[in-house]
Amino acid sequence: LTGVRRIDLNADVGESFGSWSMGQDLELLPLVTSINVACGFHAGDPQIMDATVAAAARAGVAVGAHPGYYDLRGFGRRKQAADPREVEQDVLYQVGALLAFARAHGVPLTHVKPHGALYNQAAVEEPLAAAVARGIARVSRDLVVVGLASGPALRAAAQREGLRFAAEAFADRRYFADGTLTPRGTPDAVITDPVDAAAQAVEIATGGRVTCRDGTRLALSCDTLCLHGDTPGAVPLARAVRGALEAKGVTVSPLHA
Amino acid sequence: LTGVRRIDLNADVGESFGSWSMGQDLELLPLVTSINVACGFHAGDPQIMDATVAAAARAGVAVGAHPGYYDLRGFGRRKQAADPREVEQDVLYQVGALLAFARAHGVPLTHVKPHGALYNQAAVEEPLAAAVARGIARVSRDLVVVGLASGPALRAAAQREGLRFAAEAFADRRYFADGTLTPRGTPDAVITDPVDAAAQAVEIATGGRVTCRDGTRLALSCDTLCLHGDTPGAVPLARAVRGALEAKGVTVSPLHA
Amino acid sequence: LTGVRRIDLNADVGESFGSWSMGQDLELLPLVTSINVACGFHAGDPQIMDATVAAAARAGVAVGAHPGYYDLRGFGRRKQAADPREVEQDVLYQVGALLAFARAHGVPLTHVKPHGALYNQAAVEEPLAAAVARGIARVSRDLVVVGLASGPALRAAAQREGLRFAAEAFADRRYFADGTLTPRGTPDAVITDPVDAAAQAVEIATGGRVTCRDGTRLALSCDTLCLHGDTPGAVPLARAVRGALEAKGVTVSPLHA
Amino acid sequence: LTGVRRIDLNADVGESFGSWSMGQDLELLPLVTSINVACGFHAGDPQIMDATVAAAARAGVAVGAHPGYYDLRGFGRRKQAADPREVEQDVLYQVGALLAFARAHGVPLTHVKPHGALYNQAAVEEPLAAAVARGIARVSRDLVVVGLASGPALRAAAQREGLRFAAEAFADRRYFADGTLTPRGTPDAVITDPVDAAAQAVEIATGGRVTCRDGTRLALSCDTLCLHGDTPGAVPLARAVRGALEAKGVTVSPLHA
């Protein structure tokens, strides 16, 4: 077997805002081992952050920050010509804010995963990747940087800052043969059938590869699998993925375990 | 002499936003011993916070947080019927964000002073005062709470949380005989003559009292005097205040010294 | 019979924001005769406004503006010490923006109903009521002002500006004996049983009175009934209300009809 | 003579926000014939819009809208991967809001000039240019679209929508030989010497060309010249430009005159 025998399951949570609700955080918490909490720039607010970290502390999942662009209306999904220095400072601000909630609840902040357009741009744009890594390192070099398994820029930047990098793959997103994700909005971009998602998760975790959109088998080694909570059917899908992994003997545990 | 012989001089700084500039922070830094840095809710952004804390670290002044309502357009000066629980969480968020910048620059965060309407409401509204103190205490019980000398609610709330309270007075604002400040917008609310401001500062610091708008002498004991930076003439006024205090033998030093 | 025989049914719609969804606008449209469209300050954005007005034009319902405080995070429900002059200008801005969408879709803008805390404050605070009416009148004196039936301030202010006032009552909110609404958050504030809501609607529309929380019968004359879309069960409730009104011979038609 | 003998002088105004001030609008008003008023997305708010349109009505200058990206913190200068459909709707919203203020003051809205990154992207990106033109046309086909003289995309898009296009050039910005502007931040990007700016204005207005950064003479025909108000020395520069144009016999008058 070439694949990992141990994997983290993570979910992006805390992405409601004010009176608007998003995601099924409470249902996902028992199914994952790590969460990435929105920090108020693309989603989330102090009320939601506090409640989310409290729930995570009770559930015993690892808490990470999920910083994004300062873009509530675009949900941080708009690609920007961002100034790297500003990105570094925006990341520092957001991670610092979430760290305060983690400390207040007596739980460690273990990792940081950029969100949306920042995640995608940092995977391939070196100045932005360096900015993200630097912003994280300015908070603490003990934080793990979570990024796209097939995105070389953030991995390299994390290493240059002396930060551990955790490669992320997706159970419910289709891959192109070059390792990039089929963009949202494209038909087939998202895998909605729990059986298909579970199969992809198992293939990645135990086989170290993924079957791409065009049938290509792509080598894909990862430390953590992302489960989305903002789609209908997300919870049964997460349950199927976790069940399939455990049935195949994969240990599901957080990055730090 | 009944007055204090040692006093802190503080200024609210970092209140620019994006491309908009406010205040004369760099000119004020050499004249004060503590600063209160806006945290992005009523003013300030990560770029300004980073630059402000960097400048404070170089200048050797004590760095505190200046959290306000989430109200950029109203500059945090609009009185709100705020939910105390939300205020607690908003304070925790903002102080946490600033703390990250302080740590990144290797300087301690020493104090927290609420801003604008939150400052005024927390001075007299008990639930809001309790919320502010609780939000600060959730970050650290080593933080000093700075509030209106004549505002009993925040002082009491800080003490209940086991936090040290520092009473603030104003060299450049007129007082009513009940110890409240003449509201901005009222004629005579702000003292613009450096000589008058210096005289008021000396009277407070060495005499432990202030001459009110109606001529009443009000007992006013304080630990820190606020100097504003957002008015024309603020810098000469600050210089006059500091000069007069030192000429009268008052030691100007930060709260923690 | 003392009650009206003709009534408008209105709903607050377009209250999603960016990626966040709220309400069941498309299901409500066939059940109401007027809508109040959020204008971007408390909810809504240009995308949602455009789509909402397009759908309203197709459905043939009367389109009105639903301006609120500039308070996305609080959904415009936070009471503020607002400056009346600013409120006037905020209303003018929001109504103007929505008017552009109405014109682009070839439908008239018929009315304006303030939202949330602004609605409640304008019902009883005269300076704020005058500001709302003045902001509306600056756009057009043909606009109908919709406000709380039992709120005298906005009615009087509208009349002073030469604007027609339409009194609004609620099928699904409990009234106090003084004509004010039981605040959200109080048990029983919201009527969730479609049968009860339909009964209250019929009592108001045909009897000109409502049975209050304490059993008092309160005279309540109104031109329009509000149906909410942001609660589970809102659509069946709206259907029950409309069905009951029509069964009792009440003509359901827009304010201008 | 190949140059125009009549030219409009315009300024971007109303770019303050809340308590933050920007520009020297009142000083510029007597020197220009048209203004472009920020609409609340990149700068400006209803208070500032109202005051600005009131001042423009008194001064007798032509009032236009200056819509930008929804990006207060970046002042609308951040290039975005914007969705054209959203841009169209954002433009419609902003122009509609400003139109309400113009009508309230009894003055026509004559033109629309996009701001910042939207201006620059619409000059060359066809889908974005089409979106801007479409958003304007949905308000009124009587509005003149103002765009970069050397930017073909917005000109073509305006024409396709049946809108008149006014070509804009800059007295105080250096041009590259391809007709694009030297980016802000580059040394020499901005001409600060009033004599040099006046000379460039005269060369453009009477000669129909501009001397570029590298000495090239570029043909540059324009209908309006932009004068900036957000730099120190902007007012004397504007005065020098207008004085020099009039001294050379150029009639300074608004686009519609």
Side-chain angles (χ1 to χ4, degrees):
Chain A
L1 278 184
T2 60
V4 295
R5 304 303 300 159
R6 175 187 290 275
I7 204 157
D8 174 51
L9 290 181
N10 79 75
D12 302 339
V13 298
E15 294 188 327
S16 297
F17 180 71
S19 295
W20 291 283
S21 183
M22 186 175 290
Q24 303 164 73
D25 296 1
L26 293 180
E27 289 79 4
L28 274 181
L29 272 185
L31 300 173
V32 298
T33 41
S34 298
I35 56 168
N36 321 300
V37 184
C39 302
F41 271 36
H42 76 278
D45 60 39
Q47 287 64 59
I48 294 160
M49 292 162 74
D50 201 15
T52 302
V53 175
R58 285 192 300 270
V61 302
V63 174
H66 196 39
Y69 283 130
Y70 189 81
D71 171 27
L72 282 174
R73 216 180 104 196
F75 202 67
R77 289 196 177 136
R78 287 180 226 249
K79 192 175 167 180
Q80 297 193 9
D83 180 278
R85 179 75 179 152
E86 290 189 13
V87 166
E88 172 194 323
Q89 293 159 326
D90 283 12
V91 167
L92 173 51
Y93 179 100
Q94 293 178 76
V95 177
L98 187 62
L99 178 58
F101 287 97
R103 286 194 172 138
H105 287 284
V107 296
L109 188 75
T110 61
H111 62 282
V112 179
K113 171 182 160 182
H115 166 83
L118 183 58
Y119 180 91
N120 293 325
Q121 291 181 261
V124 292
E125 297 180 21
E126 290 192 7
L128 224 51
V132 168
R134 181 95 190 96
I136 297 168
R138 289 181 72 190
V139 179
S140 165
R141 288 188 201 277
D142 292 331
L143 292 164
V144 176
V145 181
V146 178
L148 189 66
S150 45
L154 187 56
R155 181 194 298 262
Q159 286 163 350
R160 274 194 306 273
E161 290 289 343
L163 295 161
R164 189 175 148 206
F165 179 80
E168 180 179 51
F170 294 84
D172 61 355
R173 293 289 297 276
R174 290 274 174 221
Y175 282 82
F176 284 121
D178 66 354
T180 60
L181 299 173
T182 310
R184 284 167 191 277
T186 316
D188 284 348
V190 177
I191 300 173
T192 55
D193 184 328
V195 175
D196 293 349
Q200 179 158 313
V202 167
E203 188 186 13
I204 293 169
T206 67
R209 58 168 197 260
V210 68
T211 305
C212 297
R213 222 165 164 244
D214 64 358
T216 311
R217 294 280 173 95
L218 175 76
L220 184 68
S221 169
C222 79
D223 305 299
T224 184
L225 276 174
C226 181
L227 296 173
H228 291 99
D230 53 353
T231 44
V235 173
L237 187 146
R239 203 171 283 124
V241 167
R242 179 160 188 154
L245 289 170
E246 290 179 336
K248 292 291 178 180
V250 177
T251 303
V252 177
S253 65
L255 294 168
H256 278 83
Chain B
L1 280 185
T2 60
V4 295
R5 304 305 299 160
R6 175 187 290 276
I7 205 158
D8 175 49
L9 289 182
N10 79 76
D12 302 340
V13 298
E15 294 189 327
S16 297
F17 179 70
S19 295
W20 291 282
S21 184
M22 186 174 290
Q24 304 164 71
D25 296 1
L26 294 181
E27 288 80 4
L28 274 180
L29 273 185
L31 300 172
V32 298
T33 42
S34 299
I35 55 168
N36 321 302
V37 183
C39 302
F41 272 36
H42 76 279
D45 61 38
Q47 288 64 58
I48 294 161
M49 291 163 75
D50 202 13
T52 302
V53 176
R58 286 193 299 270
V61 301
V63 174
H66 196 41
Y69 283 130
Y70 189 80
D71 172 26
L72 281 174
R73 217 180 103 195
F75 201 67
R77 289 197 177 135
R78 286 180 227 249
K79 193 174 166 180
Q80 296 193 8
D83 181 277
R85 180 74 179 154
E86 291 189 13
V87 166
E88 172 193 322
Q89 292 159 325
D90 283 12
V91 167
L92 173 50
Y93 179 100
Q94 293 178 76
V95 176
L98 186 63
L99 178 58
F101 287 96
R103 286 196 171 137
H105 287 285
V107 296
L109 189 75
T110 60
H111 62 281
V112 179
K113 171 182 160 183
H115 166 84
L118 184 57
Y119 179 91
N120 292 325
Q121 291 181 260
V124 292
E125 297 181 20
E126 288 191 7
L128 225 51
V132 169
R134 181 95 192 98
I136 297 169
R138 290 180 71 189
V139 179
S140 165
R141 289 191 201 275
D142 292 331
L143 291 165
V144 176
V145 181
V146 178
L148 189 66
S150 44
L154 188 56
R155 180 194 299 262
Q159 286 163 351
R160 275 194 306 272
E161 290 290 344
L163 295 161
R164 188 176 147 207
F165 179 80
E168 181 179 51
F170 295 84
D172 61 354
R173 294 289 297 276
R174 291 274 175 219
Y175 282 83
F176 285 122
D178 66 353
T180 61
L181 299 173
T182 309
R184 284 168 191 277
T186 316
D188 285 348
V190 178
I191 301 173
T192 54
D193 184 328
V195 175
D196 293 348
Q200 179 158 313
V202 168
E203 188 187 12
I204 294 169
T206 67
R209 59 169 196 261
V210 69
T211 304
C212 298
R213 221 164 164 245
D214 64 358
T216 312
R217 294 279 171 95
L218 175 76
L220 185 67
S221 169
C222 80
D223 305 299
T224 184
L225 277 174
C226 180
L227 296 174
H228 292 100
D230 53 353
T231 45
V235 174
L237 188 146
R239 204 171 284 124
V241 167
R242 179 158 189 156
L245 289 170
E246 291 178 336
K248 294 288 180 181
V250 177
T251 302
V252 176
S253 65
L255 294 167
H256 279 82
Chain C
L1 278 184
T2 60
V4 296
R5 304 305 300 161
R6 174 187 291 275
I7 203 156
D8 174 50
L9 290 181
N10 80 75
D12 303 339
V13 297
E15 294 189 325
S16 297
F17 179 71
S19 295
W20 291 283
S21 184
M22 186 173 289
Q24 304 164 70
D25 296 1
L26 293 181
E27 288 80 3
L28 274 180
L29 272 184
L31 301 172
V32 298
T33 41
S34 300
I35 56 168
N36 321 301
V37 184
C39 303
F41 271 36
H42 77 279
D45 61 37
Q47 288 63 60
I48 293 160
M49 291 163 74
D50 201 14
T52 302
V53 175
R58 286 192 299 271
V61 302
V63 174
H66 196 40
Y69 283 130
Y70 188 81
D71 171 26
L72 282 173
R73 216 180 105 196
F75 201 66
R77 290 197 176 136
R78 286 180 227 250
K79 192 175 166 180
Q80 296 194 10
D83 181 278
R85 179 75 179 153
E86 291 189 14
V87 166
E88 172 195 321
Q89 294 159 325
D90 283 12
V91 167
L92 173 52
Y93 180 100
Q94 294 178 75
V95 177
L98 187 62
L99 178 59
F101 287 97
R103 286 198 171 137
H105 287 285
V107 295
L109 188 74
T110 61
H111 62 282
V112 179
K113 171 182 162 184
H115 165 84
L118 184 57
Y119 179 90
N120 292 325
Q121 291 182 259
V124 292
E125 297 180 19
E126 289 191 8
L128 226 50
V132 169
R134 181 95 191 96
I136 296 168
R138 288 180 72 189
V139 179
S140 165
R141 288 188 201 276
D142 292 331
L143 292 164
V144 177
V145 181
V146 178
L148 189 66
S150 44
L154 188 56
R155 180 195 298 263
Q159 286 163 350
R160 274 194 307 271
E161 290 289 345
L163 295 161
R164 187 175 148 207
F165 179 81
E168 179 179 52
F170 295 84
D172 63 354
R173 293 290 297 276
R174 291 275 174 220
Y175 281 83
F176 284 122
D178 66 354
T180 61
L181 299 172
T182 309
R184 285 167 190 277
T186 315
D188 285 348
V190 178
I191 301 173
T192 54
D193 184 328
V195 175
D196 293 348
Q200 179 158 313
V202 168
E203 188 187 12
I204 294 170
T206 67
R209 59 170 196 260
V210 68
T211 304
C212 298
R213 219 162 167 248
D214 64 358
T216 311
R217 294 279 172 94
L218 175 76
L220 185 67
S221 169
C222 80
D223 305 298
T224 183
L225 276 175
C226 180
L227 297 174
H228 291 99
D230 53 354
T231 45
V235 174
L237 187 146
R239 203 171 284 123
V241 166
R242 179 161 189 153
L245 288 170
E246 291 178 337
K248 293 289 179 180
V250 177
T251 302
V252 177
S253 65
L255 294 169
H256 279 82
Chain D
L1 280 182
T2 59
V4 295
R5 304 303 301 163
R6 176 187 291 273
I7 204 158
D8 174 49
L9 291 181
N10 79 75
D12 302 339
V13 297
E15 294 188 327
S16 297
F17 179 71
S19 295
W20 291 283
S21 184
M22 186 173 290
Q24 303 164 71
D25 296 1
L26 293 181
E27 288 79 4
L28 274 179
L29 272 185
L31 301 172
V32 298
T33 41
S34 299
I35 56 168
N36 321 302
V37 184
C39 303
F41 271 37
H42 77 278
D45 60 38
Q47 288 64 59
I48 293 160
M49 292 163 73
D50 201 14
T52 302
V53 175
R58 285 192 299 271
V61 303
V63 174
H66 195 41
Y69 283 131
Y70 188 81
D71 171 25
L72 282 174
R73 218 180 102 196
F75 201 68
R77 290 200 176 132
R78 286 179 226 250
K79 193 175 166 179
Q80 297 193 9
D83 180 277
R85 180 76 179 151
E86 291 189 14
V87 165
E88 173 195 321
Q89 293 159 324
D90 283 12
V91 167
L92 173 52
Y93 179 99
Q94 292 178 77
V95 176
L98 187 63
L99 179 58
F101 287 97
R103 287 195 172 139
H105 287 285
V107 296
L109 189 74
T110 60
H111 62 282
V112 179
K113 171 182 162 184
H115 166 83
L118 184 57
Y119 179 91
N120 293 324
Q121 290 181 259
V124 292
E125 296 180 22
E126 289 191 8
L128 224 51
V132 168
R134 181 95 192 97
I136 297 168
R138 288 181 72 190
V139 179
S140 165
R141 288 188 203 276
D142 292 331
L143 292 165
V144 176
V145 181
V146 178
L148 190 66
S150 44
L154 187 56
R155 180 195 299 263
Q159 286 163 351
R160 274 194 306 273
E161 290 289 344
L163 295 161
R164 188 175 148 207
F165 179 81
E168 180 178 49
F170 294 84
D172 62 354
R173 294 288 298 275
R174 292 273 174 222
Y175 282 83
F176 284 122
D178 66 354
T180 61
L181 299 173
T182 310
R184 285 167 190 277
T186 316
D188 286 347
V190 177
I191 300 173
T192 54
D193 184 329
V195 175
D196 293 350
Q200 179 157 312
V202 168
E203 188 187 12
I204 294 170
T206 66
R209 59 169 195 262
V210 69
T211 304
C212 298
R213 219 161 166 249
D214 65 356
T216 312
R217 293 280 172 94
L218 176 76
L220 185 67
S221 168
C222 79
D223 304 299
T224 184
L225 277 175
C226 181
L227 296 174
H228 292 99
D230 54 353
T231 45
V235 174
L237 188 146
R239 204 171 284 127
V241 166
R242 179 159 188 156
L245 289 170
E246 291 179 336
K248 292 289 180 181
V250 177
T251 302
V252 177
S253 65
L255 294 168
H256 278 84

